[in-house]
Structures are given as structure tokens and as C-alpha cells.
Amino acid sequence: MARHWWKALAILLLLYVIIAGFTIEIPIIGTNGQSSRGLFFHVPMWLCMYTMFTISVVNSLRFLSGYDLKKDVYASTAARVGILFGVLGFATGSLWATYTWGGTLTSDPKQMCTAIALLIYMAYLVLRLSIHDMDKRARISAVFNIFAFALLIPLTYIIPKMVDSLHPGSATTPGFSEKDTDHKMMMVLYPAFIGWILLSVWIYTLAVRYKKLELKNIFK
Amino acid sequence: MKKNNPIQQTLTLVKKDLLLEMRQQYAFYGVLLYIVSTVFVINLMMGKPEDKLWNALFWVVQLFVAVNAVAKSFMQESKGRLLYFYSLVHPRYFIAAKLIYNIILMVVMSLIALGASIMLLGNPITNPGYFVSVVLLGGVSLSLLFTMLAAIAAQANHSAALMAIMGFPLILPILMLLSNISVSAFLTVFQPDLPRMFWLLGGLDFLVIALSLILFPFLWKD
């Protein structure tokens, strides 16, 4: 039971985030109104996505250094869970954009860049499906994964910072932090980061265990 | 001259690729015809497009030319021949040779595409020297990225469709940068972070070269 304390923590933190996230008093920032509450659900999704993609690329590197097929299972599962959180982040962001930017799919660079990032990882999954030999699939997709991750950093981190975006916190649009003077939003946001990341790791471990059961003839 | 130093080996491989290209001219003329007919189709459909559209269409043509020209650099190698090379040279020199060869190929193709576009779609360029250098830089960037992707696709059953699936999302940021940079060749626009975009493009190219040299040996371990 001692090993599972972090799962209980994840549930408690998420319960707190959901209840407090919808009920605490938040500062009204510009035209955002109550839609700022999306922050507690939207921003953590990206952190989960990056956590998963980092786990994925680290396991790809470990695979290439030792050719252990288990590492490939870790890498592909993490990529899949990462895409799930990426899609959720995109969906929560688009929902917010519908009411504040006036369009679900705008040509805002941040939205476009994340859509491209998701496409890159979907290409990774398609690449995996197209190769039938397991060892070869593991090797080639590990190479592509490292290649994609290296290009993902400039794409989602450097380019959106350079161009002007409507997204809060970019070049000319102020973020939420300076308006949140009594740090009420921070009190929910930081637990939300931890809670959602723990949940993503939990989902990831479950998916890995399922995958290992599927392939139990190979991993003896 | 020593025969087995790395630069010599790489250059020999480049020379071999160029020689093959000279002898089997059908591939070169195939891509040439591809460029001209693509541009001609655009001309038939919309005549002479305006500046912004011209720029966008030109980069789309470049993208498809790059996919077609670079993809075949690995597909024309038969399995037996690849095995032969594997026994002769280190994979790093092999991918270096392919990168150099594809850069040469794409530079030529880019200039041809530029010529065809100017002839058939009109010439809205006000700053030709600048635009030509951006086109050459773009050709190099596209060829570098697609060389590595062609190497990956060649391992996965030589599927050209797969290359498009993998390549388009990865190439999009580079293409967006290029089309943003090249806008200055048509209009006098205020672009305060133009130098930064050049640096970013150069940095991405450097990153792709480094990753190709590091990762290709893993691809080749059959």
C-alpha cells in the first residue's frame, strides 16, 4: 500500500482542483470573465504532454543504447498518452478561444504550432504501424522519435515566443500572473500541475502494464 | 593522396551519386518535367497570381519538388548495393555524402523552379538578389530535412506516402519561416526580427545535420 500513496495524492489533489477551480473567487481579467478558470485544466495538460514526450524520448535513447524491447514499449506508450493529453489541451484551449477570441480554430500561431506538434507525434504512431518487424520497428521509430523531439522544442517553444499571439503570456498580451495579486489562482494552479502530472503518470503505468501483458510471450 | 580518409570517402560517394545522375538522366528530367508541369497547372488555373499568393504557391511547389527529388536518393539504391556500401564505408560518411549530394540537387532544382515560376507566373519580385539567396537557403534546408526522412522511409518499406506523413508536419515550421523571410523580397514590410529568423533557420539546419550524423548509424544496423 505504501507504494501507492502517490495515486491517492493524485485523486485528492484533483478533487481539490476541480472543486476549488470551479468555486473560488477569481480576479476578473479583461474580457475573460469566468473563463479564466480554464487555466486550471488547460495549462496542466501541456505539462503532462511534455512530461510524457520527455519520458518517450528518454526511453528511445535508452533503447538505442541497449536494444532492449521493453524500452520501446515505454517509449511508444508514453507517446500515446502524451498525444491524449495534447488533444485534451488543444480541446480546452479551443473551447476557451471560442468565447474569448471569437473562433474555435483561429490562425493564432500558438494554436497552429500545437496542432503541428500533435501531427508530428501522430506521424510517429503511423510510422510504427507501417513496420511489421518488431526489432526494426523499435529501432526506426526510436530514431524518428529523437529527431521529432529535437524539432519539437523550437517549434513549440521558440517560434511561438517570437511571433505575436493573442495567447495570454506571449509577446504583447499580458499573462494572468500580474493580475492575480492575492495569489488565489496560484493556490489552485500549482496543486493542479502536480495532480494532473501524477494522473498522467498513473495512466502511463497502467498502459505499460497492459502492453506488457499483451507481449508477455516476448518479455519472459 | 590517401584513399581512406573520411573526406576523401565522402567525396567519392558524392561523385558516384552525381555520375549515376548523369548516366540515368530519366530521374533528373522526370523531376524537371514535374516542376514545369506543376507551375504550368497553376498558370492555367489562376494566370498570374498576386505577390502574397505567388510566394505561397512558390513554396508549396518547392515542398513537393523536394519530396520528389530527395525521396528517390534512397529509393534508387537496391538492397544489395546498400549492403555493399555498408561493408565499405562508415554509415556517417554515407549519410554525409547523401546530404551533400541532395543539397547540390536541390539547389539546382530550386533555381529551375524559380525560373519556371518567373516565366509562367509573372515576376512580382522587387528584390531579386535577396529572394534568390532565400530560395537557395530554403532549398538547402528542405533537402537536409528530407534526406534524413527519406533514410527513415527507405527502412520502412520504401513508402513515399510515409515520407509525406512524417515530413509535412516536421517541415511546416521551416516552411513558415521561409515564407515569412521571403516576404521582404516583394514588399517593403517592417520585419524587426528578420535577423533572428535567419539565425533560427540556420540553427535548425545545423541541428538537422548533427542529428542525421548521429542517428543514421543506428538506422543502418540491419
Side-chain angles (χ1 to χ4, degrees):
Chain A
M1 204 53 218
R3 270 168 55 220
H4 298 298
W5 60 271
W6 58 276
K7 294 176 184 170
L9 182 68
I11 294 173
L12 287 177
L13 280 175
L14 286 180
L15 272 176
Y16 165 69
V17 166
I18 290 169
I19 295 168
F22 282 114
T23 51
I24 56 156
E25 210 172 308
I26 55 165
I28 302 296
I29 301 157
T31 52
N32 284 306
Q34 296 295 327
S35 74
S36 309
R37 294 183 196 277
L39 188 79
F40 310 131
F41 307 98
H42 171 66
V43 184
M45 293 299 138
W46 299 119
L47 282 181
C48 294
M49 185 186 85
Y50 274 113
T51 314
M52 284 299 127
F53 286 170
T54 310
I55 291 176
S56 177
V57 79
V58 166
N59 277 302
S60 282
L61 282 168
R62 281 167 72 201
F63 173 79
L64 285 183
S65 63
Y67 296 105
D68 176 10
L69 272 178
K70 259 184 208 161
K71 304 287 185 296
D72 179 57
V73 171
Y74 297 152
S76 68
T77 313
R80 216 166 283 155
V81 178
I83 289 177
L84 170 74
F85 279 93
V87 170
L88 286 175
F90 192 79
T92 46
S94 298
L95 184 69
W96 180 78
T98 312
Y99 298 103
T100 49
W101 294 350
T104 307
L105 277 175
T106 55
S107 55
D108 192 74
K110 281 231 171 179
Q111 217 174 12
M112 293 298 108
C113 285
T114 49
I116 296 169
L118 287 177
L119 281 180
I120 291 175
Y121 273 86
M122 286 174 187
Y124 168 74
L125 294 184
V126 172
L127 176 70
R128 292 185 64 84
L129 288 176
S130 77
I131 308 167
H132 296 294
D133 182 66
M134 268 189 84
D135 293 287
K136 198 173 179 184
R137 172 167 64 203
R139 198 160 39 84
I140 294 171
S141 58
V143 169
F144 180 75
N145 194 8
I146 296 165
F147 200 67
F149 188 80
L151 288 173
L152 185 79
I153 301 302
L155 174 64
T156 55
Y157 204 77
I158 302 174
I159 294 180
K161 288 232 158 115
M162 281 171 57
V163 287
D164 237 359
S165 164
L166 286 171
H167 194 281
S170 37
T172 52
T173 320
F176 285 175
S177 50
E178 63 245 46
K179 290 281 169 58
D180 183 29
T181 37
D182 49 0
H183 301 293
K184 265 196 180 144
M185 289 177 92
M186 294 295 167
M187 300 253 293
V188 184
L189 189 61
Y190 289 126
F193 286 161
I194 301 167
W196 286 111
I197 287 177
L198 286 178
L199 181 73
S200 72
V201 174
W202 191 359
I203 294 175
Y204 162 70
T205 51
L206 281 179
V208 164
R209 278 163 65 190
Y210 179 74
K211 197 84 196 161
K212 272 188 182 166
L213 270 182
E214 239 181 30
L215 301 170
K216 68 176 173 212
N217 294 327
I218 298 164
F219 301 133
K220 270 216 175 121
Chain B
M1 201 186 297
K2 255 171 69 183
K3 263 281 170 225
N4 45 7
N5 76 47
I7 300 170
Q8 199 63 37
Q9 284 184 4
T10 311
L11 287 180
T12 312
L13 278 172
V14 176
K15 232 182 267 169
K16 164 239 138 201
D17 270 336
L18 287 176
L19 200 66
L20 262 181
E21 196 66 63
M22 301 272 197
R23 295 207 179 135
Q24 311 178 322
Q25 291 180 335
Y26 89 95
F28 179 78
Y29 286 110
V31 178
L32 195 65
L33 199 62
Y34 184 88
I35 297 174
V36 176
S37 48
T38 313
V39 178
F40 191 52
V41 166
I42 297 171
N43 171 270
L44 287 180
M45 283 181 172
M46 54 195 328
K48 304 226 184 296
E50 52 175 309
D51 306 352
K52 243 186 142 175
L53 213 50
W54 196 97
N55 189 23
L57 287 171
F58 177 76
W59 288 110
V60 172
V61 170
Q62 279 280 73
L63 172 66
F64 281 92
V65 169
V67 172
N68 276 284
V70 177
K72 71 177 177 45
S73 73
F74 277 88
M75 297 188 183
Q76 70 186 5
E77 310 275 15
S78 65
K79 211 151 191 148
R81 209 196 285 161
L82 282 177
L83 199 65
Y84 175 61
F85 288 136
Y86 187 67
S87 65
L88 281 184
V89 290
H90 190 275
R92 201 156 286 159
Y93 309 146
F94 184 77
I95 189 75
K98 283 285 181 202
L99 287 171
I100 295 170
Y101 164 71
N102 280 328
I103 287 175
I104 297 172
L105 188 71
M106 252 330 267
V107 162
V108 174
M109 293 297 172
S110 303
L111 291 176
I112 294 171
L114 181 61
S117 303
I118 288 177
M119 269 200 311
L120 290 169
L121 302 180
N123 184 5
I125 303 162
T126 51
N127 193 348
Y130 178 78
F131 191 69
V132 170
S133 51
V134 172
V135 167
L136 292 182
L137 186 65
V140 171
S141 310
L142 289 172
S143 67
L144 288 175
L145 188 65
F146 276 116
T147 305
M148 188 56 189
L149 290 174
I152 295 176
Q155 291 281 324
N157 314 324
H158 290 281
S159 130
L162 193 64
M163 192 160 141
I165 295 170
M166 290 189 301
F168 284 11
L170 280 177
I171 203 78
L172 264 169
I174 290 178
L175 221 51
M176 293 305 293
L177 274 177
L178 283 170
S179 77
N180 273 330
I181 289 173
S182 61
V183 167
S184 287
F186 302 94
L187 321 152
T188 38
V189 284
F190 177 61
Q191 280 184 307
D193 39 32
L194 202 58
R196 265 220 323 232
M197 286 202 253
F198 273 107
W199 278 113
L200 193 61
L201 198 60
L204 276 173
D205 284 353
F206 189 74
L207 183 74
V208 171
I209 294 175
L211 282 172
S212 306
L213 292 182
I214 294 167
L215 291 175
F216 186 71
F218 291 107
L219 271 184
W220 237 26
K221 258 186 197 155
D222 246 347

